[in-house]
């Protein structure tokens, strides 16, 4: 049973199987000049347009990359200039943004990290204080992969652009697209990162939406695919799957949201009735797809292995940035070391069922009780 869907999801085979069959006749290089190659290129462009439409983009472009990690690197390093003055990045970012920002800092750039509040969202008043007319670049994620916390991007963009109308605002939307409403035009962002394998597509396929006004330089050089912004032959099959799963996820966003909310609430109800002690790091306003929960007096890693032995896969949050700390994001949310130690990340998909939730709850309670008994706590 799989409850680590924030890390990856199962490919939607209904969509994939048809595309694989089709690929046998359409495996050609989209850069080739002969007609079959041109046909593949046409399909690639249709996929691009379909994703842009589903992102709510009425203008701008979409650059396909080899992952969202690469798209985030492209957003950050592709806009970095010698004279970039100040960069703001939230403390809640995925390592692909956070560690890129640390790298910029180590190169001498003025990078400042925007703190989080206890609920895992960016502290808006701290952001307002840090934001000044010197800030050239901001990166704040839409939905946290760690807790499901949803940032008010519209408000943050408004604050940023009011202070410096020329600021470039990037948003990592990997955990948002297809799960909550995404409309890049309405959000007002300049760049937006997405990933295929979080919404039933293939691993190794990501993309960066780039608004018209943004001047971007490549970070990978070669055959000048993707308008010269990302060289390397595109993964056409993966991209076609990406566009189909994006369309399906956006079309079914409300239905799946309701289903997943019910699953999450069912799990919480069963845990509450079990009498075991825990605190939630995910709030009711968060995306229901991610549940961050800390079990009292438990070592989550042990719980994770105990569940694994029972055939249940859950996450234990993102890797930490320093060896000393257990979880950078929960730390930024003010959680204690003990709370961090007991933290599991349970993340859902459209494929999870109510029956699975009942088994998960039963086994989880059993694991926690056994753990506490075996450690005399
Ligand atoms: N950003 C967020 C918020 C994520 O959750 C992830 C994956 O965990 C990534 C970026 C990186 O995605 P990819 O695996 O496509 O590089």
């Amino acid at each position: 049973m799989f409850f680590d869907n924030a890390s990856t999801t199962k490919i939607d085979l209904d969509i994939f199987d048809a595309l694989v069959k089709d690929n046998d006749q359409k495996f050609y290089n989209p850069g080739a000049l002969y007609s079959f190659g041109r046909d593949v290129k046409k399909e690639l462009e249709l996929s691009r347009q379909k994703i842009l439409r589903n992102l709510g983009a009425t203008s701008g472009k979409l650059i396909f990359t080899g992952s969202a990690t690469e798209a985030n690197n492209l957003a950050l390093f592709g806009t970095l200039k010698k004279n970039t003055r100040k960069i703001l990045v939230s403390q809640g970012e995925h390592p692909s943004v956070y560690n890129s920002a640390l790298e910029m800092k180590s190169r001498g750039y003025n990078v400042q990290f925007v703190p989080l509040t206890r609920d895992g969202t960016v502290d808006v008043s701290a952001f307002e204080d840090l934001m000044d007319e010197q800030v050239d670049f901001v990166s704040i994620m839409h939905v946290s992969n760690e807790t499901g916390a949803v940032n008010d991007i519209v408000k943050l963009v408004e604050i940023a652009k009011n202070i410096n109308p020329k600021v470039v605002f990037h948003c990592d939307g990997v955990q948002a697209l297809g799960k909550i409403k995404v409309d890049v035009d309405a959000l007002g962002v300049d760049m937006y990162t997405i990933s295929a394998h979080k919404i039933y597509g293939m691993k190794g396929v990501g993309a960066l939406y780039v608004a018209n006004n943004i001047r971007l330089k490549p970070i990978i050089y070669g055959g000048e695919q993707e308008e010269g912004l990302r060289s390397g032959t595109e993964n056409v099959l993966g991209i076609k799957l990406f566009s189909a799963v994006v369309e399906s996820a956006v079309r079914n966003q409300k239905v799946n949201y309701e289903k997943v909310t019910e699953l999450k609430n069912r799990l919480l109800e069963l845990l509450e009735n079990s009498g075991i002690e825990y605190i939630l790091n995910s709030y009711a306003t968060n995306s229901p797809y991610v549940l961050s929960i800390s079990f009292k007096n438990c070592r989550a890693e042990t719980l994770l292995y105990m569940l694994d032995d029972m055939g249940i896969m859950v996450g234990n949050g993102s890797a930490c940035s320093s060896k000393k700390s257990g979880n950078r994001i929960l730390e930024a949310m003010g959680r204690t070391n003990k709370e961090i130690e007991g933290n599991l990340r349970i993340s859902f998909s459209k494929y999870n069922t109510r029956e699975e939730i009942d088994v998960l709850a039963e086994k989880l309670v059993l694991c926690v009780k056994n753990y506490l008994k075996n450690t005399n706590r």
Side-chain angles (χ1 to χ4, degrees), residues 12-222:
D12 190 326
L13 287 181
D14 288 344
I15 300 174
F16 184 61
D17 286 350
L19 286 174
V20 172
K21 278 201 197 98
D22 191 48
N23 191 59
D24 202 40
Q25 302 300 317
K26 294 179 179 170
F27 64 89
Y28 309 98
N29 192 316
L33 293 182
Y34 37 82
S35 69
F36 283 120
R38 295 199 307 271
D39 287 347
V40 172
K41 172 81 175 157
K42 259 186 226 153
E43 294 205 349
L44 176 66
E45 293 314 314
L46 286 175
S47 298
R48 195 189 312 277
Q49 292 314 318
K50 196 191 272 185
I51 297 179
L52 278 168
R53 257 198 325 275
N54 280 294
L55 280 174
T58 51
S59 61
K61 57 185 168 226
L62 192 74
I63 306 299
F64 288 115
T65 59
S67 62
T69 295
E70 195 195 308
N72 281 338
N73 273 260
L74 176 61
L76 271 78
F77 291 106
T79 50
L80 191 66
K81 298 193 193 85
K82 273 199 189 116
N83 58 356
T84 297
R85 295 166 301 171
K86 192 169 158 186
I87 297 153
L88 296 185
V89 169
S90 100
Q91 273 182 340
E93 296 304 305
H94 183 267
S96 51
V97 169
Y98 190 81
N99 290 341
S100 297
L102 286 181
E103 172 59 21
M104 289 173 169
K105 203 174 165 84
S106 78
R107 292 183 196 175
Y109 286 97
N110 179 4
V111 179
Q112 300 200 15
F113 292 95
V114 189
L116 304 181
T117 60
R118 263 198 83 74
D119 70 7
T121 57
V122 163
D123 184 331
V124 177
S125 67
F127 177 67
E128 232 163 350
D129 290 344
L130 285 167
M131 186 66 219
D132 59 37
E133 66 285 349
Q134 298 274 312
V135 176
D136 289 317
F137 186 90
V138 174
S139 185
I140 295 178
M141 72 201 318
H142 202 170
V143 174
S144 167
N145 52 298
E146 197 67 49
T147 62
V150 183
N151 284 311
D152 187 346
I153 299 298
V154 173
K155 188 170 183 178
L156 293 162
V157 168
E158 194 183 291
I159 292 169
K161 302 251 172 192
N162 273 342
I163 295 169
N164 177 12
K166 288 199 174 142
V167 70
V168 176
F169 199 111
H170 166 252
C171 180
D172 177 345
V174 166
Q175 300 288 346
L177 181 62
K179 297 175 181 175
I180 64 166
K181 187 174 166 46
V182 172
D183 182 327
V184 289
D185 281 4
L187 289 171
V189 293
D190 297 305
M191 290 189 283
Y192 197 86
T193 296
I194 55 176
S195 181
H197 73 108
K198 311 288 183 176
I199 47 168
Y200 321 108
M202 223 182 251
K203 292 163 193 62
V205 183
L208 182 69
Y209 157 77
V210 186
N212 274 338
N213 56 317
I214 300 305
R215 288 181 53 205
L216 198 59
K217 286 188 82 176
I219 56 170
I220 292 176
Y221 293 85

